[in-house]
Amino acid sequence: MTAADAAPYDTPPPELKRQLQRANRLARWKALGLVAPLLVFLIVTFIVPILSMLTRSVYSPAFGEVLPHLSEAVQNWDGDGIPDEAVFAILVTDMMAARSQRTIGQAATRLNYEVPGTRSLVMRSARRVARLDAPYSESLPALDPRWGEREIWAAIKRVSEPVTPTFYLSALDRAQTADGSIVLNAEEQRLYVQLFWRTLWVSALVMVLCLALGFPIAYLMAHMSSARANLLMILVLLPFWTSLLVRTTSWIALLQTQGVLNDLMVWAGLVSDDGRIQLIYNQIGTVVAMTHILLPFTVLPLYAVMRGIPPSLTRAALSLGATPATAFMRVYLPLTAPGIGAGAVLVFILAVGYYITPALVGGRTGQLISNLIAFHMQESLNWGLAAALGALLLAGVLALYWLYDRLVGIDKMRLG
């Protein structure tokens, strides 16, 4: 074929080019149509809730919406002493209007998040404020002396702003004083930082136990015949076929003081009948139950990685004079690092957010930060604080992902 013959095919005809572009566009639209349901599902159930949580953790306009004129007037207060009579008069007017609209409770609750105990102050004052006479800067403090305290007015000024750091400060056991400085709460009021550390400690312990128990199982499965490995895999996956609630309550029957495990130890003479060990409703129960439930999440990535390691590498090290221990430690174990990392990250992240198991078997000392988040969501209804605790937990998980990516690489993660 000469160059003259090939020339017409170097550049496709305009009609053929348009057909190719149309076919490519159609293929892209088909691909988008296939992934669109999953994309919408992820946006609605994952992205939107996270954005809502992050917004709630810093945005709380309830006080300003219920008492709008007071919120505007108190911003002009310089923070020295207490506000003047005009601000007190606006407070009285706004409280009477909010009580008639049955919204005063929202403002009282918001102020109570900032200064515990002030909900009763606002509600009781709102009921009696119509009977007060001017000047209100004297009659309101006479009704309740806290209206004459600078700290209360400083808190009102802070909650009047819709964007607030209050919930994050509370989540870190800190508070803002009347002069704006940030201080640690009193020791008996510090709760959340200790719970964060306890959550990290229990999650790390569960992760280590899962790796210690899961590594030999995965190693055995990777070095036995396919038939036996499949049978063992079924045993590993068997807990997934049972409800999480059933598995957790089973541990209650096993670990309680009069349970199976204590009966066996008494029968074996390890402990006396009067000296039965408390294995449930504490951290021991939480760690044991969570380790059992999360163990398959360690075995699966380890097994996937070990199946891909050629046995010839270990045999080559042995043939070159290495001892079995040296060949394992310097050849085999480093090759399993992606599986160890994937299993560790997966178990740790799941453990950090665990809720049902600590709630059922944890007791007072086995509760994790997720239980406090649920408490604020369902009972105290302090959604802002719950959102701040959740956001801090999310930041910790993202930091862990970043650390794993730096040390091992996300592209090397294998989950099964």
Side-chain angles (χ1 to χ4, degrees):
M1 179 183 293
T2 64
D5 297 328
Y9 299 99
D10 289 343
T11 303
E15 181 60 26
L16 178 59
K17 188 176 181 179
R18 283 194 294 272
Q19 289 179 356
L20 287 173
Q21 291 175 344
R22 190 161 51 244
N24 289 334
R25 281 199 300 273
L26 185 60
R28 284 196 293 270
W29 278 110
K30 284 182 178 178
L32 182 61
L34 291 173
V35 302
L38 176 61
L39 188 62
V40 172
F41 179 79
L42 289 177
I43 291 174
V44 173
T45 63
F46 184 68
I47 303 296
V48 172
I50 287 180
L51 293 178
S52 175
M53 178 189 71
L54 295 176
T55 303
R56 281 183 179 276
S57 66
V58 295
Y59 186 69
S60 180
F63 193 91
E65 291 175 352
V66 174
L67 305 174
H69 303 100
L70 173 66
S71 300
E72 184 178 349
V74 80
Q75 296 303 319
N76 299 322
W77 175 50
D78 58 6
D80 292 333
I82 59 174
D84 55 22
E85 172 62 21
V87 178
F88 273 92
I90 293 173
L91 168 63
V92 170
T93 305
D94 271 7
M95 279 203 295
M96 287 192 293
R99 186 165 185 268
S100 65
Q101 297 170 0
R102 300 179 182 276
T103 57
I104 188 64
Q106 300 175 25
T109 300
R110 176 64 186 92
L111 184 61
N112 193 67
Y113 293 155
E114 193 77 17
V115 183
T118 50
R119 177 179 170 79
S120 60
L121 167 68
V122 175
M123 298 302 292
R124 187 171 62 250
S125 301
R127 286 195 299 270
R128 301 178 181 177
V129 75
R131 298 194 293 270
L132 297 180
D133 297 322
Y136 298 110
S137 58
E138 297 178 1
S139 55
L140 267 174
L143 178 65
D144 193 311
R146 284 178 290 180
W147 287 118
E149 295 177 1
R150 175 172 170 251
E151 288 74 16
I152 293 297
W153 285 99
I156 290 175
K157 186 175 182 179
R158 289 197 298 272
V159 300
S160 298
E161 299 175 355
V163 179
T164 173
T166 298
F167 300 122
Y168 280 101
L169 292 176
S170 299
L172 296 172
D173 288 335
R174 284 164 171 76
Q176 204 167 3
T177 62
D179 58 3
S181 58
I182 296 172
V183 297
L184 268 173
N185 289 334
E187 189 168 354
E188 64 274 11
Q189 296 178 347
R190 297 173 196 170
L191 173 64
Y192 302 110
V193 173
Q194 179 187 359
L195 265 178
F196 270 117
W197 284 116
R198 182 193 296 172
T199 301
L200 295 177
W201 157 248
V202 169
S203 302
L205 183 59
V206 170
M207 179 190 70
V208 171
L209 290 175
C210 284
L211 287 174
L213 296 173
F215 194 95
I217 298 173
Y219 182 86
L220 183 63
M221 291 169 58
H223 290 81
M224 60 174 36
S225 65
S226 297
R228 292 183 177 180
N230 290 336
L231 179 61
L232 197 54
M233 177 63 78
I234 292 174
L235 296 177
V236 170
L237 297 178
L238 197 59
F240 284 131
W241 301 344
T242 309
S243 166
L244 174 63
L245 193 60
V246 172
R247 281 180 281 163
T248 303
T249 50
S250 299
W251 279 109
I252 297 177
L254 289 172
L255 297 178
Q256 61 182 318
T257 308
Q258 300 297 327
V260 177
L261 196 57
N262 264 301
D263 286 344
L264 288 175
M265 288 192 290
V266 171
W267 175 79
L270 297 176
V271 297
S272 64
D273 194 33
D274 297 332
R276 289 173 177 260
I277 303 173
Q278 182 71 30
L279 298 173
I280 199 75
Y281 306 126
N282 53 23
Q283 282 192 31
I284 296 176
T286 299
V287 170
V288 170
M290 288 177 63
T291 301
H292 164 250
I293 293 169
L294 295 176
L295 183 60
F297 294 100
T298 307
V299 175
L300 293 178
L302 278 172
Y303 176 62
V305 171
M306 289 178 179
R307 289 266 303 179
I309 299 176
S312 58
L313 296 178
T314 305
R315 289 198 295 268
L318 294 173
S319 68
L320 292 173
T323 63
T326 303
F328 177 81
M329 295 298 295
R330 303 190 63 176
V331 176
Y332 191 84
L333 187 59
L335 292 174
T336 63
I340 295 175
V345 169
L346 194 58
V347 168
F348 188 84
I349 290 174
L350 290 173
V352 160
Y354 239 59
Y355 167 68
I356 293 179
T357 303
L360 291 179
V361 303
R364 185 179 60 83
T365 61
Q367 299 288 303
L368 304 182
I369 195 66
S370 56
N371 301 107
L372 260 294
I373 294 175
F375 169 78
H376 287 303
M377 291 290 293
Q378 298 170 354
E379 297 187 33
S380 74
L381 301 182
N382 190 349
W383 289 15
L385 180 55
L389 292 169
L392 291 175
L393 209 56
L394 176 65
V397 170
L398 292 178
L400 187 65
Y401 266 122
W402 175 82
L403 185 64
Y404 179 83
D405 186 39
R406 298 284 295 178
L407 297 179
V408 180
I410 293 294
D411 56 328
K412 296 180 181 177
M413 181 180 286
R414 297 180 183 177
L415 300 180

Coordinates of all heavy atoms in Angstrom, one line a residue, residues 285-346:
G285 N -15.9 -7.1 79.8 CA -17.0 -7.6 79.0 C -17.1 -6.9 77.6 O -17.3 -7.6 76.6
T286 N -16.8 -5.6 77.6 CA -16.8 -4.9 76.3 C -15.8 -5.4 75.4 O -16.0 -5.6 74.2 CB -16.7 -3.4 76.6 OG1 -17.7 -2.9 77.4 CG2 -16.6 -2.6 75.3
V287 N -14.5 -5.5 75.9 CA -13.4 -6.0 75.1 C -13.6 -7.4 74.5 O -13.4 -7.7 73.4 CB -12.1 -5.9 75.9 CG1 -10.9 -6.5 75.1 CG2 -11.8 -4.4 76.2
V288 N -14.1 -8.3 75.4 CA -14.3 -9.7 75.0 C -15.3 -9.8 73.9 O -15.1 -10.4 72.8 CB -14.7 -10.6 76.2 CG1 -15.1 -11.9 75.7 CG2 -13.5 -10.7 77.2
A289 N -16.5 -9.2 74.1 CA -17.6 -9.2 73.1 C -17.2 -8.5 71.8 O -17.5 -9.1 70.7 CB -18.8 -8.6 73.7
M290 N -16.6 -7.4 71.9 CA -16.2 -6.7 70.7 C -15.1 -7.4 69.9 O -15.1 -7.5 68.7 CB -15.7 -5.3 71.0 CG -16.8 -4.3 71.4 SD -16.3 -2.7 71.9 CE -15.6 -2.1 70.3
T291 N -14.2 -8.1 70.6 CA -13.1 -8.9 69.9 C -13.8 -10.0 69.1 O -13.4 -10.3 68.0 CB -12.1 -9.4 70.9 OG1 -11.5 -8.3 71.6 CG2 -11.0 -10.2 70.2
H292 N -14.7 -10.7 69.8 CA -15.4 -11.8 69.1 C -16.1 -11.3 67.9 O -16.1 -11.9 66.8 CB -16.3 -12.5 70.1 CG -17.3 -13.4 69.4 ND1 -18.6 -13.1 69.3 CD2 -17.2 -14.6 68.7 CE1 -19.3 -14.0 68.7 NE2 -18.4 -15.0 68.3
I293 N -16.8 -10.2 68.0 CA -17.7 -9.7 66.9 C -16.8 -9.2 65.7 O -17.1 -9.4 64.5 CB -18.6 -8.6 67.4 CG1 -19.6 -9.3 68.4 CG2 -19.4 -7.9 66.3 CD1 -20.5 -8.3 69.1
L294 N -15.7 -8.6 66.0 CA -14.9 -7.9 65.0 C -13.8 -8.8 64.4 O -13.1 -8.4 63.5 CB -14.3 -6.6 65.5 CG -15.3 -5.5 65.9 CD1 -14.6 -4.3 66.6 CD2 -16.1 -5.1 64.7
L295 N -13.6 -10.0 65.0 CA -12.5 -10.8 64.5 C -12.5 -11.1 63.0 O -11.5 -11.1 62.4 CB -12.5 -12.1 65.4 CG -11.4 -13.1 65.1 CD1 -10.0 -12.5 65.3 CD2 -11.5 -14.4 65.9
P296 N -13.7 -11.5 62.5 CA -13.7 -11.7 61.0 C -13.2 -10.6 60.2 O -12.7 -10.8 59.1 CB -15.2 -12.0 60.7 CG -15.8 -12.5 62.0 CD -15.0 -11.7 63.1
F297 N -13.4 -9.4 60.6 CA -12.9 -8.2 59.8 C -11.4 -8.2 59.8 O -10.8 -7.4 59.0 CB -13.4 -6.9 60.4 CG -14.9 -6.8 60.3 CD1 -15.7 -7.1 61.4 CD2 -15.5 -6.4 59.1 CE1 -17.1 -6.9 61.2 CE2 -16.9 -6.3 59.0 CZ -17.7 -6.6 60.0
T298 N -10.7 -8.9 60.6 CA -9.2 -9.0 60.6 C -8.8 -10.2 59.7 O -7.8 -10.1 59.0 CB -8.7 -9.1 62.0 OG1 -9.1 -8.1 62.8 CG2 -7.1 -9.1 62.0
V299 N -9.5 -11.3 59.9 CA -9.1 -12.5 59.2 C -9.3 -12.4 57.7 O -8.4 -12.8 56.9 CB -10.0 -13.7 59.7 CG1 -9.7 -15.0 58.9 CG2 -9.8 -13.9 61.2
L300 N -10.3 -11.7 57.2 CA -10.6 -11.7 55.8 C -9.5 -10.9 55.0 O -8.9 -11.5 54.0 CB -11.9 -11.0 55.5 CG -13.1 -11.8 56.0 CD1 -14.4 -11.1 55.7 CD2 -13.2 -13.2 55.2
P301 N -9.1 -9.7 55.4 CA -8.0 -9.1 54.6 C -6.6 -9.8 54.8 O -5.8 -9.8 53.9 CB -7.9 -7.6 55.2 CG -8.6 -7.7 56.5 CD -9.6 -8.8 56.4
L302 N -6.4 -10.3 56.0 CA -5.1 -11.1 56.2 C -5.1 -12.3 55.2 O -4.1 -12.6 54.6 CB -5.0 -11.5 57.6 CG -4.5 -10.5 58.6 CD1 -4.6 -11.0 60.0 CD2 -3.0 -10.2 58.3
Y303 N -6.2 -13.0 55.2 CA -6.2 -14.2 54.3 C -6.1 -13.8 52.8 O -5.4 -14.5 52.1 CB -7.6 -14.9 54.5 CG -7.8 -16.1 53.6 CD1 -6.9 -17.2 53.7 CD2 -8.9 -16.1 52.7 CE1 -7.2 -18.3 52.9 CE2 -9.1 -17.2 51.9 CZ -8.2 -18.3 52.0 OH -8.4 -19.4 51.2
A304 N -6.7 -12.7 52.4 CA -6.5 -12.3 51.0 C -5.1 -12.0 50.7 O -4.6 -12.3 49.6 CB -7.4 -11.0 50.8
V305 N -4.4 -11.4 51.6 CA -3.0 -11.0 51.3 C -2.1 -12.3 51.4 O -1.2 -12.5 50.5 CB -2.5 -10.0 52.3 CG1 -1.0 -9.8 52.2 CG2 -3.2 -8.7 52.1
M306 N -2.3 -13.1 52.4 CA -1.5 -14.3 52.5 C -1.6 -15.3 51.3 O -0.7 -16.0 51.0 CB -1.8 -15.0 53.8 CG -1.4 -14.3 55.1 SD -1.8 -15.1 56.6 CE -1.2 -14.0 57.8
R307 N -2.8 -15.3 50.8 CA -3.1 -16.2 49.6 C -2.2 -15.8 48.4 O -1.9 -16.6 47.6 CB -4.5 -16.2 49.2 CG -5.4 -16.8 50.2 CD -5.7 -18.3 49.8 NE -6.3 -18.4 48.5 CZ -6.6 -19.6 48.0 NH1 -6.4 -20.7 48.7 NH2 -7.1 -19.7 46.8
G308 N -1.8 -14.5 48.3 CA -1.1 -14.0 47.2 C 0.4 -14.1 47.4 O 1.2 -13.7 46.5
I309 N 0.9 -14.5 48.6 CA 2.4 -14.6 48.8 C 2.9 -16.0 48.3 O 2.4 -17.0 48.8 CB 2.6 -14.5 50.3 CG1 2.1 -13.1 50.8 CG2 4.1 -14.6 50.6 CD1 2.3 -12.9 52.3
P310 N 3.8 -16.0 47.4 CA 4.3 -17.3 46.8 C 5.1 -18.0 47.9 O 6.0 -17.4 48.6 CB 5.2 -16.8 45.7 CG 4.8 -15.4 45.4 CD 4.4 -14.8 46.7
P311 N 4.8 -19.3 48.1 CA 5.6 -20.1 49.1 C 7.0 -20.2 48.8 O 7.9 -20.4 49.7 CB 4.9 -21.4 49.1 CG 3.5 -21.2 48.5 CD 3.7 -20.1 47.5
S312 N 7.3 -20.0 47.5 CA 8.7 -20.2 47.1 C 9.6 -19.1 47.7 O 10.9 -19.4 47.9 CB 8.8 -20.0 45.5 OG 8.3 -18.8 45.1
L313 N 9.1 -18.0 48.1 CA 9.9 -16.9 48.7 C 10.5 -17.4 50.1 O 11.7 -17.3 50.4 CB 9.1 -15.7 48.9 CG 8.6 -15.0 47.7 CD1 7.8 -13.7 48.0 CD2 9.8 -14.6 46.8
T314 N 9.6 -18.0 50.9 CA 10.1 -18.5 52.2 C 11.0 -19.7 52.0 O 12.0 -19.8 52.7 CB 8.9 -19.0 53.0 OG1 7.9 -17.9 53.2 CG2 9.3 -19.4 54.4
R315 N 10.7 -20.6 51.0 CA 11.6 -21.7 50.8 C 13.0 -21.2 50.3 O 14.0 -21.8 50.6 CB 11.0 -22.6 49.7 CG 9.8 -23.4 50.2 CD 9.5 -24.6 49.3 NE 9.1 -24.2 48.0 CZ 7.8 -24.0 47.6 NH1 6.8 -24.2 48.5 NH2 7.5 -23.7 46.4
A316 N 13.0 -20.2 49.5 CA 14.3 -19.6 49.0 C 15.1 -19.1 50.2 O 16.3 -19.3 50.3 CB 14.0 -18.5 48.0
A317 N 14.4 -18.4 51.1 CA 15.1 -17.9 52.3 C 15.7 -19.1 53.1 O 16.8 -19.0 53.6 CB 14.2 -17.1 53.2
L318 N 14.9 -20.2 53.3 CA 15.4 -21.3 54.1 C 16.6 -22.0 53.4 O 17.5 -22.4 54.0 CB 14.3 -22.3 54.3 CG 13.1 -21.8 55.1 CD1 11.9 -22.9 55.1 CD2 13.6 -21.6 56.6
S319 N 16.5 -22.1 52.0 CA 17.6 -22.7 51.3 C 18.9 -21.9 51.3 O 20.0 -22.4 51.1 CB 17.2 -22.9 49.8 OG 17.0 -21.6 49.2
L320 N 18.7 -20.6 51.6 CA 19.9 -19.7 51.7 C 20.5 -19.7 53.1 O 21.4 -18.9 53.4 CB 19.6 -18.3 51.2 CG 19.3 -18.2 49.7 CD1 18.8 -16.8 49.4 CD2 20.5 -18.6 48.9
G321 N 19.9 -20.5 54.0 CA 20.5 -20.6 55.3 C 19.8 -19.9 56.4 O 20.2 -20.0 57.6
A322 N 18.6 -19.3 56.1 CA 17.9 -18.6 57.2 C 17.1 -19.6 58.0 O 16.7 -20.7 57.5 CB 16.9 -17.6 56.6
T323 N 17.0 -19.3 59.3 CA 16.2 -20.2 60.2 C 14.7 -20.0 59.9 O 14.3 -18.9 59.3 CB 16.5 -19.9 61.6 OG1 16.1 -18.5 61.9 CG2 18.0 -20.1 61.9
P324 N 13.8 -20.9 60.2 CA 12.4 -20.7 60.0 C 11.9 -19.4 60.6 O 11.1 -18.7 60.0 CB 11.7 -21.9 60.6 CG 12.8 -23.0 60.5 CD 14.1 -22.3 60.7
A325 N 12.4 -19.1 61.8 CA 11.9 -17.8 62.5 C 12.4 -16.6 61.7 O 11.7 -15.6 61.5 CB 12.5 -17.8 63.9
T326 N 13.7 -16.6 61.2 CA 14.2 -15.5 60.5 C 13.5 -15.3 59.1 O 13.1 -14.2 58.7 CB 15.7 -15.7 60.2 OG1 16.4 -15.9 61.5 CG2 16.3 -14.5 59.5
A327 N 13.2 -16.5 58.5 CA 12.5 -16.4 57.2 C 11.1 -15.8 57.4 O 10.6 -15.1 56.6 CB 12.4 -17.8 56.6
F328 N 10.5 -16.2 58.5 CA 9.1 -15.7 58.8 C 9.2 -14.2 59.1 O 8.4 -13.4 58.5 CB 8.5 -16.5 59.9 CG 7.2 -15.9 60.3 CD1 6.0 -16.3 59.6 CD2 7.0 -15.1 61.4 CE1 4.8 -15.9 60.0 CE2 5.8 -14.6 61.7 CZ 4.6 -15.0 61.0
M329 N 10.1 -13.8 60.0 CA 10.1 -12.4 60.4 C 10.6 -11.5 59.3 O 10.2 -10.3 59.2 CB 11.0 -12.3 61.7 CG 10.5 -13.0 62.9 SD 8.9 -12.4 63.4 CE 9.3 -10.7 63.9
R330 N 11.6 -11.9 58.5 CA 12.2 -11.0 57.5 C 11.7 -11.1 56.1 O 12.0 -10.3 55.3 CB 13.7 -11.2 57.6 CG 14.3 -11.0 58.9 CD 15.8 -10.9 58.9 NE 16.3 -9.8 58.2 CZ 17.6 -9.5 58.1 NH1 18.5 -10.2 58.7 NH2 18.0 -8.5 57.3
V331 N 11.0 -12.2 55.8 CA 10.4 -12.4 54.5 C 8.9 -12.4 54.5 O 8.3 -11.6 53.8 CB 11.0 -13.7 53.8 CG1 10.4 -13.9 52.5 CG2 12.5 -13.7 53.7
Y332 N 8.3 -13.3 55.3 CA 6.9 -13.5 55.2 C 6.1 -12.4 55.9 O 5.2 -11.8 55.3 CB 6.5 -14.9 55.8 CG 5.1 -15.3 55.6 CD1 4.8 -15.9 54.4 CD2 4.1 -15.0 56.5 CE1 3.5 -16.3 54.1 CE2 2.8 -15.4 56.2 CZ 2.5 -16.0 55.1 OH 1.2 -16.4 54.8
L333 N 6.5 -12.1 57.1 CA 5.7 -11.1 57.8 C 5.7 -9.7 57.1 O 4.6 -9.1 57.1 CB 6.3 -10.9 59.2 CG 5.5 -10.0 60.2 CD1 4.1 -10.6 60.4 CD2 6.2 -9.9 61.6
P334 N 6.8 -9.2 56.6 CA 6.7 -7.9 55.9 C 5.7 -7.9 54.7 O 5.1 -6.9 54.4 CB 8.1 -7.6 55.4 CG 9.0 -8.4 56.4 CD 8.2 -9.6 56.7
L335 N 5.6 -9.1 54.0 CA 4.7 -9.2 52.9 C 3.3 -9.1 53.3 O 2.4 -8.9 52.5 CB 5.0 -10.4 52.1 CG 6.4 -10.5 51.4 CD1 6.6 -11.9 50.8 CD2 6.5 -9.4 50.3
T336 N 3.0 -9.4 54.6 CA 1.6 -9.4 55.1 C 1.2 -8.0 55.6 O 0.1 -7.8 56.1 CB 1.4 -10.4 56.2 OG1 2.2 -10.1 57.3 CG2 1.7 -11.8 55.7
A337 N 2.1 -7.1 55.5 CA 1.8 -5.7 56.1 C 0.5 -5.1 55.5 O -0.2 -4.5 56.3 CB 3.0 -4.8 55.8
P338 N 0.3 -5.2 54.2 CA -1.0 -4.6 53.7 C -2.2 -5.2 54.4 O -3.2 -4.5 54.7 CB -1.0 -4.9 52.2 CG 0.5 -5.0 51.9 CD 1.1 -5.6 53.1
G339 N -2.2 -6.5 54.6 CA -3.3 -7.2 55.2 C -3.4 -6.8 56.7 O -4.5 -6.6 57.2
I340 N -2.3 -6.7 57.4 CA -2.3 -6.3 58.8 C -2.8 -4.9 58.9 O -3.7 -4.5 59.8 CB -0.9 -6.4 59.4 CG1 -0.4 -7.8 59.4 CG2 -0.8 -5.8 60.8 CD1 1.0 -8.0 59.9
G341 N -2.4 -4.0 58.0 CA -2.8 -2.6 58.0 C -4.3 -2.5 57.8 O -5.0 -1.8 58.5
A342 N -4.8 -3.2 56.7 CA -6.2 -3.1 56.4 C -7.1 -3.7 57.5 O -8.1 -3.0 57.9 CB -6.5 -3.9 55.1
G343 N -6.7 -4.8 58.1 CA -7.4 -5.4 59.2 C -7.4 -4.5 60.4 O -8.5 -4.3 61.1
A344 N -6.3 -3.9 60.7 CA -6.2 -3.0 61.9 C -7.0 -1.8 61.7 O -7.7 -1.4 62.6 CB -4.7 -2.6 62.1
V345 N -6.9 -1.1 60.5 CA -7.7 0.1 60.3 C -9.2 -0.2 60.4 O -10.0 0.5 61.0 CB -7.3 0.7 58.9 CG1 -8.3 1.8 58.6 CG2 -5.9 1.2 59.0
L346 N -9.6 -1.3 59.7 CA -11.0 -1.7 59.7 C -11.6 -1.9 61.1 O -12.6 -1.4 61.4 CB -11.2 -2.9 58.8 CG -12.6 -3.2 58.3 CD1 -13.2 -2.0 57.6 CD2 -12.6 -4.5 57.4

